[in-house]
């Protein structure tokens, strides 16, 4: 399924920035909460950030003050601005959209390394 299109991952040095984007197809229908998960090698997938329909946000403690989640409802798109990146942020990042069911993006690799 290509219902969520992710982009923006890459290789950056510690302290660098990346902006992830995830565009949801209109075929998904009514969209509720949107968010970003990540999975590092050998670790469980964790919720990084989420944003409600009304714009209320939540973050895992490890990224507070560094990451910002936002959404553009007209474009059906969710973003994750990632600043002050650390090596421990290295993971595959997955977009998640809640509608009549959960939808998942294909994942985009974020690598933070010198």
């Amino acid at each position: 399924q290509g219902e969520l299109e992710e982009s923006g991952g890459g290789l950056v040095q510690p302290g660098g920035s990346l902006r992830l984007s995830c565009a949801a197809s209109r075929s998904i229908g009514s969209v509720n909460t949107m968010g970003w998960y990540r999975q590092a090698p050998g670790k469980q997938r964790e919720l990084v950030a989420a944003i409600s329909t009304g714009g209320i946000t939540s973050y895992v403690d490890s990224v507070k003050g560094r990451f910002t989640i936002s959404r553009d409802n007209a474009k059906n798109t969710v973003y994750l601005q990632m600043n002050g990146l650390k090596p421990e942020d290295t993971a595959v990042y997955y977009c998640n959209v809640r509608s009549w069911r959960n939808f998942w993006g294909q994942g985009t690799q974020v690598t933070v390394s010198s």
Side-chain angles (χ1 to χ4, degrees):
Q1 301 182 60
E3 291 158 313
L4 302 181
E5 189 69 30
E6 296 185 37
S7 63
L11 172 64
V12 296
Q13 294 185 2
S17 296
L18 287 171
R19 190 187 192 218
L20 307 184
S21 299
C22 175
S25 171
R26 292 291 178 181
S27 66
I28 287 175
S30 181
V31 172
N32 294 311
T33 301
M34 308 177 83
W36 293 91
Y37 288 71
R38 68 186 180 188
Q39 188 165 25
K43 296 187 176 181
Q44 296 290 322
R45 186 175 298 188
E46 69 171 347
L47 177 63
V48 178
I51 183 167
S52 73
T53 303
I56 305 301
T57 60
S58 61
Y59 301 90
V60 66
D61 285 345
S62 61
V63 309
K64 287 180 179 177
R66 300 188 296 120
F67 292 9
T68 303
I69 189 170
S70 61
R71 64 192 287 170
D72 184 336
N73 290 332
K75 294 183 172 65
N76 231 29
T77 300
V78 61
Y79 306 93
L80 187 66
Q81 179 66 48
M82 309 165 68
N83 299 326
L85 284 162
K86 303 175 180 180
E88 52 262 44
D89 296 317
T90 295
V92 177
Y93 285 69
Y94 297 91
C95 178
N96 172 256
V97 172
R98 294 189 176 191
S99 184
W100 61 275
R101 70 167 177 86
N102 279 344
F103 292 85
W104 292 92
Q106 78 279 6
T108 184
Q109 177 70 48
V110 171
T111 302
V112 185
S113 177
S114 298

